[in-house]
Amino acid sequence: MNFRIPRAAPRYSSSGWKGCGSSPASRRLLLAANVLEIVHRQFTAPVAVLGSGIPAIDRITGIGGYPRGRITELFGTASSGKSALAVACCLNAAALGLTVVWIDLEHSLTAKLPLDPGPSARDILLLEPQTAEDAVDMAVILLERADIDLLVMDSAIAMNPSRRPEGMPSNMARAEMVGRALRKLTTLVARRQCVMLFLSRSYLMAVPASVASIGGGALRSFASLRLKTTQEQLSMDEGDLSSFAVRVRIVKNKLAPPEHEALLYYSLADGTLAEEPPAMVAEEPGEEPWP
């Protein structure tokens, strides 16, 4: 392939490059070396991150948490622990004094908080828009005018446009709405160096290892990090469901190798997500039953 340098392009000095003269071949070599240096610096620069609040998740991401200036997708089936992951990150960020915003399209955050979330939960700014368009406008205004460290969009399944074109299926209209939102928010998130967690729900497909989510192809493309949650290993205590295991798998990672997994445990008693299974309550010894 022949590369042509435009006449208006600056002429590079060969003082720092031995053997490079002013010939077109030398200029092309110098330009290619400059481009490679820029690309190398771009990919080897350290990535600013925000801790997830769970050490196991920080380890499997490969960078120590969720990347700043990028979008992270948390998706999985219903009640698989994706909201608990987002809540853990919010509580951790709020405890550090960072600005946290939760845009709750499903109006269900209060039911997702732990039984004792701690004083940092009061520092989470909760917004409950009525439409998907209002949610996007709120996010745009906040990112343009405020220094936000963590923004949670909950969730893609509720991002149905208020006006759907006639004849367009609901899932297609939802995916198009998510795509429009991401095209507006991606640049603002990068400019603010904000962590954006986008919650989504996976399709109920025959293939268990499917990585498709209701957010559509736009969310899969814009997200730099994608975590899939799966509910496993139900635990019973005195005949009642007490906890379940949550397997978290990295299905996409632009900043580190993917396909790492972590096994967490969600306690139904207090609504917390931890690396160790909750301890069972020991039964107190009572009197011997009457024969």
Side-chain angles (χ1 to χ4, degrees):
M1 182 180 295
N2 295 326
F3 295 91
R4 300 189 62 183
I5 306 296
R7 294 182 179 179
R11 298 176 63 88
Y12 293 95
S13 173
S14 60
S15 59
W17 296 79
K18 295 182 179 180
C20 289
S22 59
S23 64
S26 300
R27 290 199 298 269
R28 287 198 295 269
L29 179 62
L30 183 57
L31 181 60
N34 288 340
V35 171
L36 289 176
E37 183 180 355
I38 293 173
V39 172
H40 177 74
R41 189 164 57 245
Q42 177 83 14
F43 282 93
T44 56
V47 179
V49 298
L50 175 62
S52 66
I54 304 174
I57 300 300
D58 295 342
R59 288 193 296 269
I60 66 174
T61 59
I63 55 175
Y66 301 129
R68 284 182 173 269
R70 297 171 182 261
I71 295 174
T72 298
E73 181 188 6
L74 307 177
F75 72 102
T77 56
S79 302
S80 62
K82 53 188 181 294
S83 297
L85 279 177
V87 168
C89 185
C90 289
L91 295 178
N92 178 60
L96 296 174
L98 303 179
T99 306
V100 181
V101 179
W102 188 296
I103 299 180
D104 190 8
L105 270 163
E106 297 185 352
H107 298 185
S108 59
L109 177 60
T110 54
K112 299 173 181 177
L113 289 174
L115 187 62
D116 184 15
S120 60
R122 295 192 296 266
D123 298 328
I124 299 175
L125 175 60
L126 175 62
L127 302 176
E128 296 182 337
Q130 298 299 320
T131 64
E133 289 84 359
D134 290 343
V136 177
D137 290 342
M138 288 178 181
V140 169
I141 292 173
L142 287 171
L143 289 170
E144 287 178 343
R145 303 182 182 180
D147 292 328
I148 299 176
D149 297 289
L150 175 59
L151 175 64
V152 180
M153 185 70 73
D154 185 16
S155 69
I157 195 172
M159 294 197 69
N160 298 305
S162 56
R163 295 181 179 179
R164 187 176 66 185
E166 186 177 356
M168 177 179 289
S170 59
N171 59 341
M172 187 179 298
R174 185 194 303 116
E176 185 178 345
M177 182 69 209
V178 172
R180 290 201 303 269
L182 291 173
R183 284 190 289 273
K184 290 183 179 180
L185 298 175
T186 302
T187 304
L188 297 174
V189 168
R191 187 181 305 165
R192 285 291 181 188
Q193 284 296 290
C194 166
V195 174
M196 183 174 183
L197 301 182
F198 211 123
L199 275 61
S200 184
R201 189 175 296 181
S202 59
Y203 282 109
L204 294 176
M205 302 181 69
V207 183
S210 172
V211 294
S213 70
I214 285 179
L219 186 51
R220 292 197 299 272
S221 300
F222 279 95
S224 297
L225 184 64
R226 301 185 70 216
L227 286 74
K228 181 182 179 181
T229 59
T230 308
Q231 185 184 119
E232 297 181 357
Q233 300 176 8
L234 302 177
S235 299
M236 308 293 291
D237 185 14
E238 296 183 354
D240 297 327
L241 183 63
S242 62
S243 64
F244 59 86
V246 177
R247 186 171 299 278
V248 183
R249 183 165 67 96
I250 307 291
V251 299
K252 178 184 177 182
N253 195 346
K254 289 185 176 181
L255 306 168
E259 302 301 332
H260 292 290
E261 293 185 353
L263 189 63
L264 307 177
Y265 297 90
Y266 182 81
S267 172
L268 295 173
D270 53 10
T272 57
L273 196 62
E275 296 185 47
E276 299 295 333
M280 296 295 180
V281 179
E283 297 183 3
E284 297 182 359
E287 299 180 356
E288 291 291 335
W290 187 263

